[in-house]
Amino acid sequence: MSAESTDPPENPEAVAVEETDQAESDPAPTPVADPDPEPVSTPVTDEPATPPPASVYTNLGGESPLGRPGTDDTGPDDLRLGRFEEATGSTYRARVTANRGATAFGPNAVAVQVELRNGERITFTRYQVLPEDLDRLGRRYVKGPTFGPALDTLDKRRVVVIRGADGTGRRAAASILLDHLRRENLIDTVGGLVMPADVSVNDVARQSDVLAARAGMVLEIDDVTELNAGSSLDAYRTMAHQAHGYLVLLGPSYDDNAGPYTLTHECPNPAEVLKRYLTTELPAGFPAPKRQKALEDPAVVGYLGHHRLPGQVVKLAAALVDRLPRGQTAEQVVSDLEPDWRTVARRALDDAVAVTDAFGGPRRQALRTAYAVLDGLELADVLSAAEELLGMLRLVEAPDSSPARRVFDDGLDNLLFPDMLGGLTDETDRGVSPRRARLRHPALSDAFLDVAWNDYDTTRVVLLYWLDKLAVGGRPSVRRRAAEAAGKLAVYDFEKVMADLIRPWALNTNGGRRQAAAWAVEQVGGELQFADRVRRRVADWVRSSDPELHDTAAKVYGTLVGREIPGPAMSSLRTIAADRRQLRYRSVSRAVANIYQADAGIVLDHLDAWLDDPSLDVPVHATWALLYLACILDPDRSGWPRLLSDTTGTPDHERVLARLWTAALDDPATAYPAWELLRQWLELRCRVAPADDDLSGALADLVMNALATPALRKRGRWHLDIWRKRLPGDPLLTDLLDRLKKG
């Protein structure tokens, strides 16, 4: 470092930066006249300073088969550094004078120019954050579960690396961590550095005044290699130690090579962000009940579900703070923030067809439509579906065209419409999951279907053929999405889509197409104005004599359509079960298990009647239904079977359950899986804790009542003897064996 540097003024005022609702940008103070530097012998240059990063941030907040319980992954992740949003200010406008060293650069920022060992001269910026801004940030900030580990790392090592995507609030987390050290008098100031992108720590490690003395500094580094290199991080640590300061390095998103310095930052809970913002920013006299009502408003909840980044939440919060006191409702505020999604979709498709290249227009049209319909799915699936649609569109729009290049080699940024694209909305996108389609808002998916069907004749011609192709090929998620898209199209033209696509699916001998028909019917039935129409159409299928229509109707009752009408659905399933040809499928049994979760009592009453049905086929479906019901665990009773906990204490239902088990254990078609499930029920008691004495007793009584015939008791003794050898200390198995031998 040259001795000819101009020192910054003593006790500089903190930089006051105007706050905005944007995140992760670089504000700067207003430039001031530079003091006359001492003459130097080096040539004069007009190298512009790199603008420093944001100095003001706003914090606004603190998310099986039987016998194989799933892991609980709903708890807090290990790495949450806090809940906040970040704001930016104005932009620096300045030129660095010819001197080397630190040059005054605004009220509390300096542009530092150093000469490297190879003679190259570089300029970086060092700035300070206002203490009052840190105080304001602290009032809004809520410490997340990983604030402590991050602070421990910084305290012990003087350096911590916070990794995460732009806009997630990494810089605000860094400022709060450093401000904590300032309040403990470990440092005097909090600020940051902005280095040229091609400069490594090794280039400036020996420069004495890169870091201010007793300061906490934030530095963003895009070079993953440097962040993964232990030697580079050790060099940063040495620099911080020599300056008696601390460094927080901001790096790119998640990387597998995380070391002892590194923590991964994630988006804060948007509801907590909004709550804290409104609590701190609304006028003191604003009624608390009105604030809570705004937080619980469905429009606000929906907005937060689709806009999870701090900057997006702050946009809503600032609008609410401005307009709620003036009498506007939260719904009105949200509606003004959200664009008309149909207009966005129309602009995206108009932009695609406006391309003069005969092949380029259909290519963009196909990719944008596939991207919208398959929102949230992997890009590999999107590109495959887009290629299918492109081939169909070319036959209609440009049959004589031939591609001058490979189908989608221009890159998504060039082929997709910018206004339709979304950013990071899910913490699973940390680099560990495949790249996925991300729309700006899920409503755009429906809007694209609306525009493609109602505004473009050529697209309408091929859309149904394309969805039919997707419904029987590709991954299950793609097949289901295609079926749901068909249901959405039926909302625009019910009879045409039903006649041309959904009914042919329902009549098809391919089970995949029949399942697609059920998903499509479920989708259109979710629209209130179509619910009765859908139920009548499915009832017509039940009354038909076609086995495929019967199976499709059963699959429909295995969706939300069946849950909404449990009684009529069970009656229709009994009619379907009387069709002997349905024994080839298990759709009736699966539908019963689905309806059971809506109304257990109605299902058990119907199954009791099914066991006495004069048709020999209906009781068989009842026994198969038991096997599906037996696999449902009760989350409220330590993982016990829900069927057992629901019937315990209700004598009529206990009797029905015993009858169902008797039929299942005795029927040659279901005996093997039934005995296996009974073993799992008995052994499940050894895996749940704490044991429920009422359910243990109920299970023992159920087994004794289910083994109602001499043949079943004989088989029961044989099975229980084998099971007890596997679990010799189990008192329930021992008690059951003793009771069977005495009986």
Side-chain angles (χ1 to χ4, degrees), residues 344-657:
V344 175
R346 178 61 188 261
R347 287 171 52 209
L349 289 177
D350 283 348
D351 176 76
V353 299
V355 175
T356 56
D357 178 11
F359 181 74
R363 181 169 62 162
R364 285 166 173 76
Q365 190 177 358
L367 181 59
R368 294 173 187 183
T369 303
Y371 194 93
V373 172
L374 302 182
D375 176 35
L377 301 189
E378 295 183 17
L379 281 179
D381 295 328
V382 173
L383 294 175
S384 177
E387 189 171 358
E388 295 279 358
L389 181 57
L390 175 61
M392 298 176 184
L393 286 173
R394 283 186 58 213
L395 293 176
V396 175
E397 297 186 13
D400 298 328
S401 67
S402 59
R405 62 181 76 87
R406 299 187 64 180
V407 181
F408 301 118
D409 64 339
D410 281 353
L412 294 182
D413 292 340
N414 294 326
L415 294 172
L416 293 172
F417 192 63
D419 286 351
M420 67 183 287
L421 300 180
L424 179 68
T425 58
D426 194 320
E427 53 191 42
T428 60
D429 286 348
R430 298 183 306 173
V432 296
S433 64
R435 291 190 63 193
R436 297 180 180 275
R438 291 293 183 199
L439 286 177
R440 180 179 170 187
H441 192 282
L444 266 173
S445 182
D446 293 357
F448 262 85
L449 285 171
D450 182 3
V451 173
W453 182 261
N454 292 308
D455 295 6
Y456 290 89
D457 291 338
T458 54
T459 307
R460 185 188 302 117
V461 170
V462 302
L463 206 51
L464 297 184
Y465 293 101
W466 179 59
L467 293 178
D468 177 64
K469 182 83 170 178
L470 295 183
V472 292
R475 305 185 193 186
S477 57
V478 175
R479 297 199 297 269
R480 176 147 197 165
R481 188 63 61 82
E484 290 171 347
K488 293 174 182 178
L489 292 179
V491 174
Y492 307 129
D493 196 338
F494 183 85
E495 292 300 335
K496 177 173 178 58
V497 177
M498 185 65 69
D500 292 354
L501 190 62
I502 298 178
R503 182 175 172 82
W505 279 350
L507 285 164
N508 203 283
T509 56
N510 183 306
R513 280 194 166 91
R514 296 199 300 275
Q515 183 60 66
W519 286 332
V521 169
E522 177 189 27
Q523 182 67 43
V524 68
E527 300 291 333
L528 185 61
Q529 67 271 29
F530 286 96
D532 291 338
R533 197 171 183 181
V534 163
R535 292 168 188 171
R536 291 195 300 269
R537 185 62 57 97
V538 177
D540 289 342
W541 293 352
V542 173
R543 289 190 293 268
S544 75
S545 60
D546 191 285
E548 280 73 30
L549 284 180
H550 283 172
D551 182 62
T552 304
K555 292 180 186 296
V556 172
Y557 290 129
T559 68
L560 289 176
V561 174
R563 290 196 192 190
E564 292 173 354
I565 49 170
M570 288 298 297
S571 298
S572 296
L573 287 174
R574 183 174 183 175
T575 301
I576 296 172
D579 181 358
R580 175 172 291 274
R581 295 166 294 185
Q582 297 307 304
L583 292 176
R584 295 177 294 174
Y585 314 120
R586 297 287 172 260
S587 302
V588 170
S589 307
R590 293 191 180 96
V592 170
N594 170 70
I595 298 170
Y596 178 86
Q597 298 179 66
D599 196 320
I602 287 181
V603 169
L604 290 173
D605 291 341
H606 277 267
L607 290 180
D608 189 28
W610 286 19
L611 290 174
D612 298 325
D613 194 274
S615 170
L616 297 179
D617 302 311
V618 175
V620 175
H621 286 281
T623 58
W624 276 107
L626 170 72
L627 301 184
Y628 285 98
L629 292 172
C631 293
I632 303 174
L633 297 180
D634 188 348
D636 299 327
R637 294 299 298 269
S638 301
W640 283 88
R642 179 177 173 181
L643 196 55
L644 179 65
S645 60
D646 284 348
T647 55
T648 299
T650 307
D652 288 343
H653 290 165
E654 289 177 346
R655 178 187 57 81
V656 175
L657 182 57

Side-chain angles (χ1 to χ4, degrees), residues 33 211 227 316 335-336 380 441 497 504-505 511 594 597 615 620 636 681 701 721-722 737-738 743:
L211 302 183
L227 285 179
L316 170 63
S335 64
D336 289 343
H441 192 282
V497 177
W505 279 350
N594 170 70
Q597 298 179 66
S615 170
V620 175
D636 299 327
W681 273 33
D701 292 340
D721 187 57
I722 295 176
L737 262 177
D738 292 342

Side-chain angles (χ1 to χ4, degrees), residues 5-186:
S5 62
T6 301
D7 295 331
E10 294 184 3
N11 301 322
E13 298 178 4
V15 182
V17 183
E18 179 185 359
E19 182 179 353
T20 72
D21 60 10
Q22 300 176 5
E24 298 285 328
S25 60
D26 296 341
T30 306
V32 298
D34 206 76
D36 293 335
E38 295 180 0
V40 293
S41 57
T42 55
V44 175
T45 64
D46 279 337
E47 181 180 355
T50 307
S55 62
V56 179
Y57 315 107
T58 306
N59 173 49
L60 302 174
E63 279 214 311
S64 78
L66 185 68
R68 297 180 184 176
T71 57
D72 182 11
D73 57 4
T74 60
D77 292 328
D78 293 335
L79 299 172
R80 284 187 189 275
L81 297 182
R83 299 179 170 94
F84 41 78
E85 61 89 21
E86 297 183 331
T88 66
S90 55
T91 305
Y92 276 99
R93 295 289 185 270
R95 292 157 69 89
V96 179
T97 56
N99 63 290
R100 294 183 301 236
T103 303
F105 190 52
N108 194 45
V110 293
V112 182
Q113 197 169 82
V114 299
E115 185 171 317
L116 305 182
R117 284 175 293 181
N118 62 2
E120 180 185 358
R121 299 170 62 188
I122 63 171
T123 300
F124 63 89
T125 304
R126 189 172 68 219
Y127 64 92
Q128 181 182 336
V129 181
L130 275 166
E132 50 265 39
D133 289 330
L134 292 171
D135 293 341
R136 183 168 182 244
L137 176 59
R139 289 193 299 271
R140 295 175 174 178
Y141 187 80
V142 176
K143 295 178 182 177
T146 57
F147 184 87
L151 188 61
D152 288 342
T153 301
L154 186 60
D155 186 39
K156 293 176 182 178
R157 300 180 178 274
R158 292 188 178 268
V159 173
V160 65
V161 180
I162 300 178
R163 311 197 83 162
D166 291 340
T168 56
R170 301 168 303 160
R171 199 179 300 278
S175 295
I176 286 296
L177 288 168
L178 294 172
D179 187 50
H180 190 89
L181 301 181
R182 179 182 69 92
R183 294 174 185 275
E184 293 186 352
N185 202 32
L186 295 176

Side-chain angles (χ1 to χ4, degrees), residues 703-715:
V703 174
M704 294 302 298
N705 293 330
L707 303 180
T709 66
L712 284 178
R713 288 179 181 270
K714 181 178 180 180
R715 275 182 273 169

